[in-house]
Amino acid sequence: MTILHQKIHNPISSSFIEKCRKCARLAEFLDTVRIQYPAYHAKPVSAFGDLSAKLLIIGLAPGMHGANRTGRPFTGDFAGILLYQTLYKFGLASHATSVSVEDDLRLFQCRITNAVKCLPPANKPQPSEIRQCNAYLADEIADFIAHGGQGILALGNIAHQAGLIALGLKMKSFAFKHGARHHLPNGLRLYDSYHCSRYNTQTKRLTQEMFEQIIARICADLALIT
């Protein structure tokens, strides 16, 4: 999927994220999800983690029975298993699992968000929805930089592209490749990894060793806790 380049939106406070209904298809889909699963969060999902993080991790979008259910990124679904296990191994999380917003999990020096804040049908956001939601990501990245942020880890090509759009950078100058490290003009480092989805991990496109190598490199580069 290719996302057209665009300028950064004016920053928008994250306090408005959960009330957002700007993408009609996504808003209507969440309305039906709330009817089917009345106990689910079923709203846009805000970022989670250390407000003074050195590392910002960007995923794709909430999963139906994960973040869409619990209200926290990568929480309660398969995609979060490898992510949180690895963060815990490197001292960036207080627990190795993330199952509920009530589990007292804390992140250290890192923060997690998604390129698209709402659950998309079939887990496939449309390009227009990625562009529309980019204002929130741009706001998050601006706040991340203002608080001393140093590196971004993009989980998958869409997250990679969305991060570049939010920073006003051209995608052709920074091609996505698993294991890549890009030095951005503003001083940030952008790291790429395949998404830690069930499909990628079960097909061995992304193994535990591969993902740990990336987190280890980030920890060394940014002098994070290990």
Side-chain angles (χ1 to χ4, degrees):
M1 182 182 295
T2 300
I3 308 169
L4 298 177
H5 175 71
Q6 67 178 54
K7 295 181 180 179
I8 298 176
H9 292 72
N10 292 327
I12 299 175
S13 171
S14 61
S15 63
F16 293 100
I17 290 178
E18 291 192 0
K19 299 178 182 178
C20 184
R21 294 183 61 87
K22 292 180 179 179
C23 299
R25 186 182 79 112
L26 299 186
E28 291 170 4
F29 181 58
L30 285 178
D31 288 343
T32 65
V33 170
R34 277 192 294 274
I35 294 172
Q36 186 176 6
Y37 300 100
Y40 278 25
H41 174 78
K43 294 182 289 185
V45 177
S46 300
F48 164 67
D50 193 338
L51 292 174
S52 298
K54 291 184 180 180
L55 172 65
L56 178 66
I57 300 172
I58 304 175
L60 171 58
M64 169 67 88
H65 304 296
N68 176 68
R69 173 174 62 86
T70 63
R72 192 168 72 189
F74 289 89
T75 296
D77 64 0
F78 190 91
I81 295 174
L82 177 59
L83 175 60
Y84 285 107
Q85 281 181 347
T86 307
L87 293 180
Y88 175 73
K89 180 174 181 176
F90 286 87
L92 303 177
S94 61
H95 305 308
T97 59
S98 179
V99 297
S100 164
V101 294
E102 306 296 331
D103 62 12
D104 296 324
L105 173 68
R106 291 179 295 149
L107 299 184
F108 309 111
Q109 299 191 55
C110 70
R111 191 164 176 81
I112 303 173
T113 191
N114 280 309
V116 176
K117 311 306 181 189
C118 291
L119 166 72
N123 202 36
K124 294 181 179 179
Q126 296 177 348
S128 61
E129 294 162 350
I130 298 169
R131 291 194 296 268
Q132 180 67 57
C133 205
N134 197 255
Y136 296 122
L137 182 62
D139 189 53
E140 289 169 345
I141 292 177
D143 187 67
F144 170 68
I145 294 172
H147 286 84
Q150 298 178 15
I152 295 174
L153 171 59
L155 300 179
N157 190 34
I158 291 178
H160 169 92
Q161 293 179 16
L164 293 175
I165 290 174
L167 290 164
L169 299 174
K170 295 181 178 180
M171 288 176 282
K172 66 180 181 180
S173 300
F174 308 96
F176 175 84
K177 181 181 179 182
H178 177 79
R181 176 180 58 185
H182 307 278
H183 294 272
L184 305 183
N186 59 5
L188 285 179
R189 297 176 185 180
L190 173 61
Y191 301 84
D192 291 336
S193 172
Y194 294 134
H195 194 284
C196 45
S197 65
R198 181 190 295 270
Y199 176 81
N200 284 342
T201 55
Q202 289 189 341
T203 60
K204 304 300 182 182
R205 187 185 193 201
L206 178 66
T207 65
Q208 181 175 345
E209 181 181 7
M210 290 167 62
F211 194 60
E212 287 182 0
Q213 287 174 348
I214 289 176
I215 299 299
R217 184 178 192 182
I218 292 172
C219 286
D221 286 351
L222 306 185
L224 301 183
I225 297 170
T226 58

